[in-house]
Structure formats: C-alpha cells, structure tokens
C-alpha cells in the first residue's frame, strides 16, 4: 500500500498537482513521533509530498493559541475534518464544503504554512537526530538507503 501511495505522489507533479501537509508538534518528540517522521514523512517527502513541521513547546505557544482541528483540504473545495474520541481513537470525518467552512480551514492552513518549516530544515536543525537508527529515502521507486 505504501509503495502505491509513493508511486502516486511521484506522478502528481506531471499532472500539475501536489500533496502537502503541516504536522504541528508540541512538546518533546515521543518515540511514536520519531517513528512517524522517519518511516512516514521521510519517504513521502522524497516522493514529492510537501511536508512542513510547526514545532512549539505547547499549543498555547503556537499561532493557533490552542490545538487546531485535524483536517485535510481537498483542492480548496472540501474540508475533511477528523473526529477522535477522548483517547485519541479516530471516529471518522466530516466533509464540509460551505464557503464559511472552507474559508476557516483555508485560513488555518495558511497560518500553519506561514509558521512552519520544511521537513528538511526541521531535521537539519535537530542534528544530531534524537534517535540512533537513521534512514534516508531517495525518490527512486526501488526504495531506501539505510544509514548507520
């Protein structure tokens, strides 16, 4: 499944399309966040996804002032807003396409992009990385190169 997604990401620029995200992180990196960056963000960025990181000590320190909703914008015409329970389990999503909803989520996206850094710059600022096993992904379909 991951390889199919990476192949799609590589094809999108030829169609004039992009996929991007801002990952807002507060507090120190947890083992799961390190895993997500190393095994998720790195190969997707190498395949062409535009990944940015917005890192702060707490949500109060972010430009949002509190934790914003988790959402996807699809062609700036639909906002897919994720719903979670109190323990963080995903419950589903709401698809919103009204002008007011789209203006709100486009504004949140723009704020996040304006206050975030590209993944490569975020990782460069963290050298040495706070984990011991490191990998680097290239954009070739055959995969990854492991570094020790």
């Amino acid at each position: 499944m991951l390889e199919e997604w990476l192949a799609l990401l590589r094809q999108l620029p030829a169609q004039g399309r992009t996929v991007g995200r801002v990952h807002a992180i507060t507090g120190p990196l947890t083992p799961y966040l390190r895993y997500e960056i190393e095994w998720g963000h790195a190969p997707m960025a190498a395949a062409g996804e535009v990944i940015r990181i917005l890192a702060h000590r707490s949500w109060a320190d972010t430009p949002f002032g509190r934790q914003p909703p988790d959402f996807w914008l699809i062609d700036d015409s639909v906002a897919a807003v994720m719903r979670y329970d109190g323990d963080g389990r995903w419950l589903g999503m709401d698809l919103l396409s009204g002008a007011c909803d789209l203006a709100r989520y486009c504004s949140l996206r723009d704020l996040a992009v304006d206050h975030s850094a590209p993944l490569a710059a975020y990782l460069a600022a963290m050298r040495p990385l706070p984990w011991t096993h490191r990998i680097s992904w290239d954009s070739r379909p055959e995969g990854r190169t492991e570094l020790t």
Side-chain angles (χ1 to χ4, degrees):
M1 183 93 168
L2 177 61
E3 289 306 319
E4 290 92 7
W5 178 248
L6 296 175
L8 175 65
L9 288 173
R10 288 184 202 98
Q11 295 169 2
L12 291 177
Q15 302 168 12
R17 302 186 79 186
T18 61
V19 172
R21 76 175 90 180
V22 175
H23 187 157
I25 298 171
T26 58
L29 284 179
T30 65
Y32 181 79
L33 284 172
R34 292 191 300 267
Y35 164 81
E36 188 174 11
I37 290 168
E38 184 175 355
W39 293 99
H41 293 0
M44 290 180 200
E49 183 175 350
V50 178
I51 299 177
R52 300 180 65 83
I53 304 293
L54 187 149
H56 288 277
R57 292 177 192 254
S58 71
W59 286 114
D61 295 331
T62 70
F64 310 110
R66 61 187 174 102
Q67 185 172 0
D70 182 7
F71 66 95
W72 290 36
L73 275 173
I74 303 158
D75 295 333
D76 287 355
S77 62
V78 175
V81 183
M82 305 302 132
R83 286 184 285 110
Y84 301 93
D85 70 12
D87 294 322
R89 286 184 293 263
W90 188 70
L91 299 174
M93 73 178 93
D94 297 317
L95 299 176
L96 308 174
S97 58
C100 290
D101 292 321
L102 291 173
R104 175 179 182 225
Y105 289 101
C106 286
S107 177
L108 285 169
R109 184 244 354 249
D110 295 345
L111 187 62
V113 168
D114 289 347
H115 290 87
S116 62
L119 177 64
Y122 173 76
L123 292 175
M126 293 179 58
R127 298 280 184 221
L129 295 174
W131 52 86
T132 56
H133 177 75
R134 298 178 191 107
I135 60 167
S136 69
W137 290 79
D138 60 34
S139 59
R140 295 174 297 166
E142 57 268 15
R144 62 188 164 101
T145 304
E146 292 195 23
L147 305 174
T148 57

